[in-house]
């Protein structure tokens, strides 16, 4: 059974930084799409940043471009999301997604993901 676990969330002031981490036990991130999604209260879940395996391609939501960076450590089977210049509107529950296939066009986050973690809360105070 695959278990996806996120960590690294917390409370930070606007302008600050956080780094989220994600590991997947019972599986690897190889040959699939992985990524980060978020959902704020009363809003739909949105793809924040996603990355392909192999020939590495990345996708970022317009709202986080230039501030967030997705990366992975293949040896550790770990996915990261470095979040800089955080804004109050970044406040949300952040979810790691793994096992993604069949994305459309340039939007890698449109993939069908097989696994989601339980989420880690990010709160940015203004």
């Amino acid at each position: 059974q695959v278990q996806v676990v996120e960590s690294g969330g917390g409370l930070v002031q606007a302008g600050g930084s956080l780094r989220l981490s994600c590991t997947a036990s019972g599986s690897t991130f190889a040959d699939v799409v992985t990524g980060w999604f978020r959902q704020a209260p009363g809003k739909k879940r949105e793809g924040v940043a996603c990355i392909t395996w192999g020939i590495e391609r990345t996708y970022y939501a317009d709202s986080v471009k230039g501030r967030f960076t997705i990366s992975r450590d293949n040896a550790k089977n770990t996915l990261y999301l470095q979040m800089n210049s955080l804004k109050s509107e970044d406040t949300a529950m952040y979810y790691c997604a793994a096992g993604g296939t069949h994305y459309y066009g340039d939007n890698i986050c449109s993939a069908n993901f097989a696994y989601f973690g339980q989420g880690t809360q990010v709160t940015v105070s203004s």
Side-chain angles (χ1 to χ4, degrees), residues 22-108:
C22 171
T23 58
S25 61
S27 180
T28 70
F29 290 143
D31 300 324
V32 291
V33 175
T34 54
W36 293 94
F37 287 72
R38 69 185 181 186
Q39 188 167 20
K43 294 188 177 182
K44 291 176 61 177
R45 186 173 65 186
E46 65 169 336
V48 175
C50 295
I51 187 168
T52 58
W53 199 259
I55 299 175
E56 187 176 295
R57 295 181 61 204
T58 57
Y59 165 87
Y60 294 94
D62 288 342
S63 58
V64 306
K65 281 181 181 176
R67 300 188 298 122
F68 290 12
T69 303
I70 188 170
S71 63
R72 60 176 186 240
D73 184 324
N74 298 345
K76 295 182 178 179
N77 200 37
T78 301
L79 184 71
Y80 301 101
L81 183 68
Q82 178 66 43
M83 305 185 295
N84 298 328
S85 301
L86 283 161
K87 305 175 181 179
S88 57
E89 50 263 45
D90 295 318
T91 295
M93 185 71 79
Y94 283 71
Y95 300 90
C96 177
T101 59
H102 303 108
Y103 60 90
Y104 299 94
D106 293 332
N107 185 356
I108 301 169

Side-chain angles (χ1 to χ4, degrees), residues 10-16 86-88 91 122-126:
L11 174 64
V12 64
Q13 287 188 333
L86 283 161
K87 305 175 181 179
S88 57
T91 295
V122 172
T123 302
V124 183
S125 63
S126 57

